[in-house]
Amino acid sequence: MTHIIVVCLWVVTILPLYLHTGDCAKIIGGVEVVPHSLPYMARLENGKGDLVCGGILINESWVLTAAHCKVKKGLSSHLIKTVNLGVHSVNATEKAYRQVRDVENHVPYPYYNAADHRHDIMLLQLTKPVELTKTVDIMSLPDPVWDVPAGTECSVAGWGLTIENGNRSAQSDVLLSVNVTVINRAKCNSGKYYNFNPIIYGGMLCAGYVGCQQPADACQGDSGGPLMCGGKLRGVVSFGYGCGRKTKPGVYTLISKYQDWINTNIQTAG
């Protein structure tokens, strides 16, 4: 029992010191990243400055996000119209380092299924390429992997809600990040967790907090943001029931399963 208490105290007091803010995160239990340390982070907005989702700049003219972000809750006012890059503090008065681009095309994965969250991934083509700078830069797609093993430490980032069921005032002004741990799909599909509703299949990753770790998760507004594992882009924030619930961890689209589709769309568009 003494050993368990010691380990838990180590996680609570020491682990936050190892949060790699250059790697990413959300959020619930998150910390503010070093400003502009995640230059690939995109803030997807409705044209009025309101947050719709997060995204990842993977090409001067393309942003990767979640397919369900195309129209949230069926409201046209939530349609992604602009991509805001180089943002740290949303309300900062100094905005010279930002680049805003309109969205020319929404390209969701053709077999996206909203009912069971499958294939929840989308490309956004910008009307004009961005200029790569210290505050706006690309996150290149890594070599594909078959899977990300359970127990892998990852991170996720965004400007979304910091409490479950909060309103717009509960969104973060600054970019936050938190570490999450990949959870075995069999466990994630078990009766205590998602109970196959929906089925967490091979194109998805579960990641949350385990053992005596503090609650850590993405939340509303963080959808479409990156899951980074070992400095590599591995997932896109897809869904979760509630925020920061231990038995309802965040679910992410595994990017490796879609890299051929991503590359084909970018190359075809020129």
Side-chain angles (χ1 to χ4, degrees):
M1 180 64 71
T2 301
H3 294 300
I4 294 175
I5 293 173
V6 170
V7 170
C8 288
L9 287 173
W10 184 90
V11 171
V12 171
T13 60
I14 303 299
L15 184 59
L17 300 179
Y18 289 85
L19 274 172
H20 297 294
T21 57
D23 285 346
C24 259
K26 168 181 149 224
I27 309 178
I28 303 295
V31 296
E32 180 178 354
V33 307
V34 174
H36 309 297
S37 59
L38 310 180
Y40 49 84
M41 280 296 302
R43 181 180 162 92
L44 311 185
E45 300 174 347
N46 63 358
K48 301 177 182 179
D50 297 328
L51 176 67
V52 177
C53 279
I56 311 120
L57 184 69
I58 59 169
N59 178 285
E60 288 91 333
S61 297
W62 293 88
V63 169
L64 188 65
T65 187
H68 78 263
C69 293
K70 185 175 182 182
V71 178
K72 296 190 71 177
K73 301 180 182 178
L75 300 177
S76 59
S77 63
H78 286 225
L79 180 68
I80 299 168
K81 295 182 179 179
T82 58
V83 175
N84 201 340
L85 297 142
V87 180
H88 177 68
S89 168
V90 178
N91 296 318
T93 56
E94 176 53 63
K95 300 180 181 179
Y97 40 74
R98 298 189 191 183
Q99 297 181 48
V100 180
R101 295 291 185 271
D102 291 336
V103 175
E104 182 170 331
N105 289 312
H106 298 73
V107 188
Y109 191 76
Y111 302 109
Y112 166 58
N113 187 323
D116 61 11
H117 307 283
R118 289 199 178 202
H119 312 302
D120 190 11
I121 194 166
M122 177 170 64
L123 286 165
L124 301 176
Q125 185 178 20
L126 308 180
T127 55
K128 177 184 175 182
V130 301
E131 177 185 353
L132 300 185
T133 67
K134 290 183 178 180
T135 60
V136 177
D137 205 356
I138 290 168
M139 171 50 70
S140 299
L141 297 178
D143 292 336
V145 294
W146 178 253
D147 203 358
V148 180
T152 301
E153 288 285 325
C154 303
S155 60
V156 58
W159 294 271
L161 296 182
T162 55
I163 56 172
E164 184 177 332
N165 297 323
N167 55 27
R168 187 177 299 171
S169 66
Q171 293 177 352
S172 179
D173 172 61
V174 297
L175 184 59
L176 299 179
S177 172
V178 71
N179 283 355
V180 291
T181 302
V182 176
I183 296 170
N184 182 282
R185 286 188 190 85
K187 183 175 184 177
C188 209
N189 276 314
S190 69
K192 187 178 179 181
Y193 282 68
Y194 280 100
N195 195 29
F196 295 102
N197 183 29
I199 298 172
I200 310 302
Y201 78 114
M204 299 173 175
L205 291 171
C206 274
Y209 61 102
V210 297
C212 54
Q213 293 176 350
Q214 295 296 299
D217 196 7
C219 203
Q220 282 77 24
D222 296 314
S223 294
L227 179 73
M228 302 291 290
C229 306
K232 304 290 185 180
L233 179 60
R234 293 304 181 196
V236 171
V237 179
S238 179
F239 74 95
Y241 291 171
C243 302
R245 301 184 187 185
K246 190 169 187 176
T247 59
K248 294 294 184 289
V251 182
Y252 302 79
T253 302
L254 179 58
I255 292 174
S256 290
K257 304 294 184 181
Y258 301 92
Q259 285 186 217
D260 287 344
W261 171 78
I262 293 169
N263 291 327
T264 297
N265 273 278
I266 292 175
Q267 293 166 7
T268 300

